Amino acid sequence: MQCCYNTKTIPHLQTRDMIWLFVVVATVVGSMTQVEGRNVKFIEGSLEYTAINCRSHSASITDFGGVGDGKTLNTRAFQEAVNTLSQYGSDGGAQLYVPAGQWLTGSFNLTSHFTLFLHKDATILASQDINTWPVIDPLPSYGHGRDAAGGRYISLIFGTNLTDVIITGENGTIDGQGLLWWQKFHGKKLKYTRPYLFEILYSDTIQVSNVTFLNSPSWNVHPVYSSNILLQGITILAPIQSPNTDGINPDSCSNTRIEDSYIVSGDDCVAVKSGWDEYGISYGMPTQHLIIKRLTCISPYSAAIALGSEMSGGIQDVRAEDIVAINTESAVRIKTGVGRGGFVKDIFVKGMTLHTMKWVFWITGNYGSHADTHWDPKAIPVIQNINYRDIVAENVTMAARLEGISGDTFTGICISNATIGMRVKAKKVPWTCSDVEGVTSGVVPKPCDLLPDQGPEKIEMCTFPQEKLAIENIELKKCSYVIS
């Protein structure tokens, strides 16, 4: 496996920082182990786990000729298995079990009422024969590839127009073997956009849980144009300098829950999106009703949570709580610019613990990177009602960099109960603000004048919704699989 993930790849950490990092990671790994223990266990030759739905039928990839030796290509076996098990969609659904082994495969498609279950020692390995990867059209809300104009390589595990899809297991691994793709990207040798590890389109009722995603060629988990999504207990690992290895990217999705996940990546740990420039504006499908809970992120060159930059369909009602970020460029970043259009509004963040950051708060109104030359200079984004509260940060270079757009002030920014400890060689001016408007209370160091202090009695003024989203009320079922 081509994984460069270790503490030596994390720059700028002093000894005391490494101790703090070890404690936090150990705590997170411990809590994730408890999640796995709660959701998956062996009982007398059977496997019990929790899922949004259980299955009436099951089979192993070995039943379809799969060979887990790391050398035999299993693309046909995986696709034949899925196609065969799809006949049970109206009869309680089916589960495909991937036992211990190294299962080399190209891209394969999923089906409805289907569970892909990985044994703890199972690794699905992505084929490195680029010529065998199918090319598909760009997403309609993007109109253009991200790495190159035109099409994109299909994702390793792919699905479209599906209902009730589950990928879970005992923290088995899906390894994209991304080094080859990163080298081609840096060498400008790609004709099409790199594949993701998992992408699902136009689908409803999706669960990804207790799985490790490793070394993706590009983005890791990408639900798009979909709804009712549970992403739980996921581990995502990529070298911190790997290009565009975003962790989880909900894109034009509704009612999504991300929780209990640990991400180390070369890009944003969670990036919320909804289309690119005129294509996203025309498609007009926002990401909304998203909750992110108990996320731990390490990403020295990007954000723990990013909103944008492809946000032209709009982003609304995003809730994040209990977030830990270590040696990460920024905690929450809003990325937009002239030509994006759309909106980012009703954003609620509370309970962040941060260590070794360049910025805590970062809003960028001059983000470029347009899809093509046809973007509309009159398409101005609306940024409003952005709430942050209950934040503790240490070893920070700059508290905030908040930049709106001239003639398009970003409004309703609220920051309260935030204590930001600056590093020894921090910037002399901890806040820079332009074309923004808002209020603060109980924030240290003192914010810029565009965010006036409302006094200590207003320390709880930044709101966080009390009512739960529909996806938070979903009840998981106890399922079992007989090990033969």
Side-chain angles (χ1 to χ4, degrees), residues 240-254:
I240 57 173
Q241 293 183 323
S242 55
N244 313 116
T245 50
D246 300 34
I248 300 171
N249 289 8
D251 196 340
S252 293
C253 289
S254 295

Side-chain angles (χ1 to χ4, degrees), residues 211-436:
V211 176
T212 293
F213 292 90
L214 185 65
N215 295 327
S216 178
S218 184
W219 299 353
N220 281 270
V221 177
H222 186 219
V224 58
Y225 317 139
S226 297
S227 59
N228 301 312
I229 304 160
L230 174 61
L231 306 172
Q232 181 184 68
I234 295 173
T235 300
I236 295 175
L237 302 175
I240 57 173
Q241 293 183 323
S242 55
N244 313 116
T245 50
D246 300 34
I248 300 171
N249 289 8
D251 196 340
S252 293
C253 289
S254 295
N255 208 30
T256 303
R257 173 174 147 198
I258 301 170
E259 63 187 19
D260 299 313
S261 293
Y262 175 69
I263 301 173
V264 181
S265 83
D267 212 310
D268 303 315
C269 288
V270 174
V272 186
K273 300 178 180 291
S274 66
W276 200 6
D277 288 353
E278 69 270 23
Y279 303 103
I281 295 170
S282 176
Y283 201 80
M285 189 173 186
T287 288
Q288 57 188 346
H289 312 314
L290 164 66
I291 186 159
I292 306 165
K293 300 168 65 175
R294 299 181 299 279
L295 167 73
T296 296
C297 168
I298 299 175
S299 184
Y301 305 108
S302 292
I305 299 172
L307 307 170
S309 73
E310 304 91 343
M311 40 63 67
S312 301
I315 297 172
Q316 185 171 16
D317 188 14
V318 176
R319 312 169 186 193
E321 57 180 318
D322 299 331
I323 308 300
V324 174
I326 309 155
N327 195 38
T328 296
E329 187 175 53
S330 59
V332 178
R333 184 182 181 189
I334 297 174
K335 299 187 282 188
T336 188
V338 174
R340 285 292 194 264
F343 53 84
V344 177
K345 57 186 179 180
D346 304 334
I347 309 301
F348 311 97
V349 180
K350 73 171 182 178
M352 290 195 296
T353 302
L354 313 170
H355 196 279
T356 308
M357 314 290 291
K358 191 171 184 180
W359 296 283
V360 174
F361 311 106
W362 192 7
I363 298 178
T364 306
N366 61 353
Y367 204 88
S369 182
H370 294 290
D372 52 34
T373 60
H374 303 301
W375 57 276
D376 182 1
K378 296 180 181 179
I380 305 298
V382 174
I383 311 298
Q384 64 183 28
N385 194 24
I386 313 297
N387 299 270
Y388 308 103
R389 59 180 288 182
D390 307 336
I391 296 160
V392 176
E394 297 180 8
N395 200 32
V396 174
T397 302
M398 190 169 182
R401 178 180 173 183
L402 309 177
E403 302 167 331
I405 298 172
S406 179
D408 177 36
T409 301
F410 296 172
T411 63
I413 298 171
C414 183
I415 306 174
S416 66
N417 192 29
T419 301
I420 301 171
M422 309 303 291
R423 62 183 299 183
V424 174
K425 296 183 179 180
K427 296 289 186 180
K428 291 183 179 179
V429 179
W431 294 73
T432 61
C433 306
S434 61
D435 301 298
V436 296

Side-chain angles (χ1 to χ4, degrees), residues 27-243:
T27 301
V28 172
V29 171
S31 66
M32 288 175 62
T33 301
Q34 291 168 23
V35 169
E36 293 164 24
R38 182 169 65 246
N39 290 338
V40 182
K41 60 181 179 179
F42 281 106
I43 296 182
E44 296 182 356
S46 69
L47 190 65
E48 290 194 351
Y49 62 98
T50 57
I52 50 178
N53 281 306
C54 304
R55 308 305 181 196
S56 300
H57 306 270
S58 61
S60 170
I61 188 63
T62 58
D63 297 333
F64 299 88
V67 179
D69 60 3
K71 300 177 182 179
T72 303
L73 190 64
N74 293 286
T75 311
R76 180 175 297 180
F78 273 107
Q79 200 58 69
E80 182 181 345
V82 173
N83 292 344
T84 300
L85 295 175
S86 68
Q87 66 182 302
Y88 300 112
S90 59
D91 185 30
Q95 173 175 278
L96 179 62
Y97 179 68
V98 182
Q102 303 278 314
W103 306 91
L104 182 68
T105 182
S107 173
F108 61 92
N109 294 346
L110 302 180
T111 189
S112 293
H113 309 293
F114 176 82
T115 297
L116 179 66
F117 190 100
L118 277 69
H119 181 276
K120 64 183 177 67
D121 295 321
T123 299
I124 293 177
L125 286 172
S127 168
Q128 294 197 295
D129 184 354
I130 291 180
N131 294 325
T132 66
W133 287 77
V135 176
I136 58 176
D137 291 335
L139 293 167
S141 59
Y142 283 70
H144 194 284
R146 296 293 290 127
D147 296 336
R152 58 202 187 100
Y153 292 104
I154 196 169
S155 296
L156 177 63
I157 302 175
F158 184 78
T160 184
N161 293 291
L162 303 180
T163 301
D164 181 18
V165 176
I166 300 169
I167 300 177
T168 190
E170 308 169 88
N171 209 31
T173 300
I174 300 170
D175 186 349
Q177 302 200 94
L179 181 60
L180 172 68
W181 296 94
W182 306 332
Q183 291 172 339
K184 286 187 174 294
F185 172 78
H186 286 305
K188 302 185 185 301
K189 296 180 179 179
L190 287 169
K191 291 179 62 177
Y192 306 106
T193 293
R194 286 165 288 161
Y196 309 142
L197 285 187
F198 171 62
E199 181 178 64
I200 191 163
L201 287 69
Y202 307 112
S203 297
D204 181 79
T205 311
I206 303 155
Q207 175 185 342
V208 182
S209 61
N210 298 320
V211 176
T212 293
F213 292 90
L214 185 65
N215 295 327
S216 178
S218 184
W219 299 353
N220 281 270
V221 177
H222 186 219
V224 58
Y225 317 139
S226 297
S227 59
N228 301 312
I229 304 160
L230 174 61
L231 306 172
Q232 181 184 68
I234 295 173
T235 300
I236 295 175
L237 302 175
I240 57 173
Q241 293 183 323
S242 55

